Structures are given as structure tokens and as C-alpha cells.
């Protein structure tokens, strides 16, 4: 009965998010409902006896308070600083300069579909510094999309390449990466170098090739004729006012994080928040040298502080809401029951991983969000992994990547809606173009996870 109740509440939560209800209050409410049902029906407790407030009614609120307190100072501050720095880089035009610089080498390629595949690869590399899928897509739609159209590919093909450029949230400063690494008890830099980078390196070849053949075949099937035309170059756009060398600025925090780590220099300690503040300081100095206007420079810096609040309101609260919902499922004993049932059915560690990934894929497509389902289930994975004898990384890693991959196949997700709107194409037609490459991306992710498991990595 506990599993049935949990399933009904979970379905209700998913349905409300699908209907565009704000996910944070929905997840909070779903978690509280499950916690109270667990106590009233005798399925479990909300907090251990030593941590209890003395009232089961207040214990749910105490859990939320403790969860917010523990997340705000560590994981929360990391995510807030990353989002704020990205917002500042966009404000001063540095993000656009990075895109303009990196797309130039692509124009040397002869085939327009090679340029299209190269756009996806370059977009993935830019994604190391620009962690917003929809933000990166908007930049590429303004800069690279006109070039692809000018080379002769169809609007759908060009939009598909741009919309899927961040199907792997693989930066060490990405919110999902930070959450995954923290939950698994692994340093974010080592999580990136040892687990994420090898997967994406393989995906560069597989997904890049799938984009080439898929878009070329589907263009031909729809009767599109490749006919190069003259279009306005992105460099001529008056919005690109920042100097080209500003492309260095978004890369500075990433360079600091990787340089002052166990990978290279260990005598100096560097963390994500420090790296973002150093990047902010250097960016502000460059802006003052450029404009010689202290009032403008300080006003732009306020964008960084506004970004901190936005990340707290949108991302950190989503993580806390997801953990509250997860606690509700744990209090109901649902996870323990599912694990025991899986054991009875003979499910091994990797089979459980596939079950969790399937849940994430389905939820991401239906909800139109990768973060909402992943943040909701991430807190559960250590318990599931411990019961199956699987390292938490090998469950969190494919779940994290599966969320961002499946998001790119949802016609209602932000990056697809934004890209299709700017490309003047149907979002439903667009996901037909992204589906095959994203299947390849998911196959690479699962295949590499199996390799890590059997190789003992």
C-alpha cells in the first residue's frame, strides 16, 4: 500500500509539473504529504528521535530548515556563484565574444554538414564556460545559425545542431555536476576528468557523426536543396560590441579550478566560489579599462549579485524541494521496498542503474526539464547504490547525463522552445531531428558506464 500511495503522489507531482506548475512548491508539498502519511499510517518517521522537534507535525518543517541550512553554505554557494558569474559575462558581452571566436575555424570546412557537426562539437566545448543550455542556444542562434543557413543546410537541421549543443551538462562548474559529485562524495574536478570527460570524448565522434548523417538524410528526404547563399555574418551584428579578446574572460574561472587542483598545482588551494570572484574582479578591471566609467562598471557588477539571488530562488530551492520529496519517499519506505523487490526479481546493480535512468529519461521528456527530475531523485541514489553494492558515481553519472540528453528530446523544454522560436520552426519537428543523435548520446553514456563498472574504475 505504501508503494501505491507513493506512486499516486509521484504521478500527481509529475502531472502538476507537466502542467507548468512551479516545481519547487509542488515537490515541497508532495514531500510533506508523503512524510505525514508515513507517520499517520505507521510506515516510518520523518526525523530520527534525536533530531526530532518533539512534534511530528513540526518535523517536516525542521527537515526543510536543516536541508536548506546545510545546502546554502556549501553546494548552494557554489551554484549561486557559478550562475551569477555567467550572468555577468553575458552582461559585458564576453560570452558572445567567446562564441564568435570559437566558430571561426569551422568556416574552413568544405561540407556544410561537416560545419553543422562541428558546430555541435564547438558548442559542447563552449558549454564548459556557458552552463545554460538555452542561453548558449540563443548565442549560437544569433551567431552560428545564419552561417549554417548561408552554407545551404535547412533551418531544421541548423536549429537541431544548435539546440542540442549542451545535451551533456559536463562542466565542472555545472550545477548538476556539482550536485552529483557532492552527493557521491567525489571532488568535482576529479568527477569531471575521470568520469565525464571520457564519455563526452566518445560522444564527440558518435553524436557528431549522427548529426552529420541524420540532418543530411532528413534534409534530402524533405526535398531540401543545399544552395549556399549570402547572409549577414554574425561579426557584423551591432550587438557584438565587446572586443574579441573578451573571449578569454569566461574561461578564467574554469582555468583556475583545473590548474589549482590535484591535476596540476597542489600547493595553492582554489575552490569554485573563489574562482568565480576572481573572474568577476578581472572582468570588472577589463570593463573599467574599456569604458573609463566607474558608475557603469559598478552597475554591471550588480548583475553578479542579482544573479546570486536568482540562483538561490530558482536552483537551490529546487534542490532542497527535491530532497524534501525524496525524504517523503524514504519515510514511506518506498525505496527500501523497491530495492527489495528488485532483488527478488534478480535485478543486479547495473539493472537498477538502468531503472533509475529510465525514470529520469521519461520524467525529463514529460516535464520538459532535466533539473527537476534529476534533483528530485539525486538524493535517493546513495541509498539505492548502497543497497545494490554500486558506487554512487556509477548511478548518479548516467542519471545526470540522461536528464540533459532527454531534455533535448522534449518539445516543451526551454532550449527547444527558444531555439525553435528563433529558428522559426516547429518544436515538435525539431525534436524529430534531435532524437537520433540523442539516442546515440544516451547509448554512449550507458555503454561507458558499463565499461567503468566492469573495468573497476
Amino acid at each position: 500500500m505504501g508503494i501505491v500511495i507513493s506512486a499516486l503522489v509521484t504521478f500527481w507531482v509529475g502531472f502538476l509539473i507537466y502542467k507548468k506548475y512551479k516545481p519547487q512548491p509542488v515537490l515541497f508539498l508532495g514531500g510533506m504529504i508523503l512524510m505525514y502519511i508515513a507517520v499517520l499510517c505507521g510506515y516510518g518517521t520523518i526525523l530520527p528521535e534525536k533530531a526530532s522537534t518533539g512534534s511530528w507535525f513540526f518535523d517536516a518543517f525542521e527537515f526543510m530548515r536543516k536541508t536548506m541550512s546545510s545546502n546554502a553554505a556549501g553546494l548552494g554557494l557554489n551554484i549561486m556563484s557559478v550562475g551569477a558569474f555567467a550572468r555577468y559575462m553575458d552582461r559585458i558581452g564576453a560570452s558572445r565574444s567567446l562564441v564568435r571566436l570559437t566558430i571561426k575555424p569551422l568556416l574552413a570546412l568544405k561540407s556544410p554538414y561537416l560545419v553543422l557537426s562541428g558546430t555541435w562539437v564547438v558548442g559542447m566545448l563552449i558549454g564548459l564556460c556557458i552552463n545554460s543550455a538555452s542561453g548558449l542556444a540563443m548565442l549560437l542562434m544569433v551567431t552560428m545559425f545564419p552561417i549554417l543557413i548561408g552554407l545551404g543546410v535547412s533551418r531544421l537541421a541548423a536549429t537541431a545542431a544548435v539546440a542540442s549543443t549542451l545535451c551533456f551538462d559536463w562542466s565542472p562548474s555545472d550545477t548538476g555536476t556539482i550536485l552529483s559529485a557532492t552527493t557521491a562524495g567525489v571532488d568535482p574536478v576529479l568527477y569531471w576528468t575521470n568520469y565525464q570527460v571520457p564519455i563526452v570524448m566518445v560522444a564527440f565522434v558518435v553524436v557528431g557523426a549522427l548529426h552529420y548523417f541524420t540532418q543530411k538524410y532528413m534534409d534530402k528526404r524533405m526535398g531540401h536543396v543545399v544552395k549556399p547563399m549570402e547572409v549577414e555574418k554574425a561579426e557584423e551584428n551591432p550587438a557584438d560590441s565587446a572586443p574579441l579578446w573578451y573571449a578569454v574572460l569566461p574561461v578564467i574561472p574554469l582555468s583556475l579550478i583545473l590548474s589549482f587542483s590535484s591535476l596540476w598545482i597542489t600547493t595553492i588551494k582554489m575552490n569554485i566560489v573563489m574562482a568565480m570572484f576572481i573572474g568577476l574582479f578581472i572582468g570588472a578591471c577589463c570593463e573599467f579599462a574599456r569604458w573609463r566609467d566607474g558608475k557603469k562598471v559598478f552597475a554591471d557588477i550588480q548583475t553578479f549579485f542579482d544573479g546570486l539571488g536568482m540562483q538561490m530562488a530558482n536552483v537551490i530551492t529546487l534542490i532542497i524541494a527535491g530532497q524534501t520529496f525524496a525524504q517523503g519517499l524514504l519515510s514511506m519506505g518506498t525505496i527500501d521496498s523497491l530495492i527489495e523487490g528488485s532483488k527478488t526479481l534478480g535485478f543486479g546493480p547495473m539493472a537498477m542503474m538502468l531503472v533509475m535512468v529510465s525514470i529520469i529519461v521519461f520524467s525529463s521528456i514529460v516535464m520538459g526539464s532535466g533539473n527537476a527530475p534529476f534533483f528530485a531523485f539525486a538524493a535517493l541514489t546513495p541509498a539505492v547504490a548502497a543497497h545494490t553494492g554500486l558506487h554512487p558515481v556509477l548511478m548518479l553519472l548516467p542519471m545526470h547525463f540522461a536528464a540533459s540528453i532527454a531534455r533535448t528530446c522534449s518539445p516543451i523544454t526551454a532550449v527547444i522552445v527558444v531555439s525553435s522560436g528563433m529558428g522559426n520552426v516547429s518544436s515538435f519537428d525539431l525534436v524529430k531531428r534531435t532524437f537520433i543523435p540523442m539516442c546515440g548520446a544516451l547509448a554512449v553514456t550507458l555503454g561507458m558506464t558499463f565499461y567503468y563498472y566492469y573495468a573497476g574504475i
Side-chain angles (χ1 to χ4, degrees):
M1 182 58 68
I3 293 178
V4 172
I5 294 172
S6 298
L8 290 173
V9 174
T10 302
F11 176 81
W12 176 71
V13 165
F15 177 76
L16 291 182
I17 295 175
Y18 172 72
K19 287 295 185 179
K20 300 301 180 183
Y21 282 69
K22 285 292 183 181
Q24 288 94 326
V26 171
L27 288 168
F28 273 125
L29 181 58
M32 292 177 69
I33 290 173
L34 288 173
M35 289 183 201
Y36 290 144
I37 291 176
V39 174
L40 293 173
C41 295
Y43 293 120
T45 59
I46 299 173
L47 291 175
E49 186 176 349
K50 290 184 179 180
S52 175
T53 62
S55 166
W56 59 266
F57 181 78
F58 293 150
D59 280 354
F61 296 95
E62 172 64 7
F63 174 82
M64 287 187 280
R65 183 202 66 80
K66 290 178 65 176
T67 304
M68 182 172 288
S69 176
S70 62
N71 277 284
L75 173 65
L77 191 56
N78 285 340
I79 293 174
M80 288 162 63
S81 62
V82 168
F85 180 75
R87 185 176 171 86
Y88 180 69
M89 288 293 101
D90 185 60
R91 172 79 175 196
I92 66 177
S95 298
R96 191 180 292 265
S97 294
L98 176 62
V99 173
R100 289 164 51 208
L101 178 66
T102 50
I103 65 177
K104 282 187 174 183
L106 293 177
L107 301 181
L109 299 174
K110 301 297 181 183
S111 168
Y113 292 99
L114 279 178
V115 178
L116 183 147
S117 295
T119 298
W120 179 81
V121 173
V122 169
M124 283 290 299
L125 293 172
I126 298 173
L128 288 171
C129 308
I130 302 174
N131 300 146
S132 168
S134 54
L136 177 57
M138 283 189 285
L139 289 174
L140 290 175
M141 287 301 291
V142 171
T143 53
M144 200 60 197
F145 177 78
I147 295 174
L148 291 172
I149 296 300
L151 291 173
V153 305
S154 71
R155 301 182 74 87
L156 269 173
T159 309
V162 168
S164 59
T165 45
L166 207 54
C167 62
F168 289 98
D169 290 334
W170 71 304
S171 170
S173 59
D174 171 71
T175 55
T177 298
I178 297 171
L179 176 63
S180 295
T182 303
T183 305
V186 179
D187 180 81
V189 174
L190 295 180
Y191 178 77
W192 180 70
T193 55
N194 294 352
Y195 296 98
Q196 290 188 322
V197 170
I199 291 177
V200 176
M201 290 299 105
V202 176
F204 278 161
V205 178
V206 175
V207 180
L210 285 174
H211 260 306
Y212 176 89
F213 291 109
T214 299
Q215 308 313 331
K216 187 175 183 178
Y217 169 76
M218 296 189 79
D219 273 3
K220 184 178 180 180
R221 193 177 71 171
M222 69 182 287
H224 176 78
V225 178
V226 177
K227 186 179 180 181
M229 62 186 74
E230 289 295 325
V231 294
E232 177 189 7
K233 298 299 183 189
E235 295 89 335
E236 298 168 2
N237 192 318
D240 297 315
S241 58
L244 198 59
W245 62 267
Y246 262 41
V248 176
L249 297 180
V251 185
I252 288 174
L254 180 65
S255 302
L256 292 172
I257 292 169
L258 296 179
S259 297
F260 299 107
S261 69
S262 56
L263 299 176
W264 188 15
I265 303 172
T266 58
T267 54
I268 297 177
K269 295 182 179 179
M270 177 64 59
N271 58 53
I272 292 172
V273 178
M274 283 174 55
M276 297 303 157
F277 274 104
I278 293 171
L280 171 67
F281 174 76
I282 295 174
C285 290
C286 293
E287 279 289 274
F288 183 78
R290 177 187 174 193
W291 298 107
R292 301 289 182 180
D293 184 348
K295 188 174 183 179
K296 171 179 170 40
V297 172
F298 288 172
D300 289 344
I301 291 176
Q302 182 61 37
T303 305
F304 178 90
F305 301 126
D306 292 342
L308 291 174
M310 288 182 65
Q311 290 297 305
M312 181 66 187
N314 296 321
V315 180
I316 309 305
T317 54
L318 182 56
I319 293 174
I320 297 168
Q323 292 178 348
T324 302
F325 183 69
Q327 179 62 27
L329 293 174
L330 289 170
S331 297
M332 289 289 293
T334 306
I335 304 305
D336 289 339
S337 298
L338 289 175
I339 291 171
E340 291 303 318
S342 299
K343 287 181 178 179
T344 303
L345 293 173
F347 283 12
M350 299 311 288
M352 280 301 298
M353 181 272 291
L354 291 175
V355 170
M356 297 296 288
V357 167
S358 299
I359 294 172
I360 291 293
V361 167
F362 174 78
S363 301
S364 297
I365 294 175
V366 171
M367 294 180 186
S369 168
N371 284 345
F374 176 66
F375 288 173
F377 286 100
L380 298 172
T381 52
V384 177
H387 279 78
T388 58
L390 186 67
H391 194 290
V393 167
L394 297 184
M395 189 163 285
L396 284 161
L397 177 68
M399 287 172 61
H400 176 210
F401 276 171
S404 54
I405 291 168
R407 173 189 65 201
T408 314
C409 295
S410 173
I412 60 173
T413 194
V415 65
I416 294 295
V417 172
V418 166
S419 301
S420 61
M422 296 181 72
N424 196 25
V425 297
S426 164
S427 62
F428 288 91
D429 289 337
L430 181 56
V431 295
K432 294 176 184 177
R433 293 294 190 110
T434 61
F435 180 74
I436 294 177
M438 293 307 97
C439 285
L442 185 59
V444 169
T445 299
L446 295 177
M448 289 294 290
T449 304
F450 273 87
Y451 168 75
Y452 290 150
Y453 176 73
Y454 288 109
I457 298 176

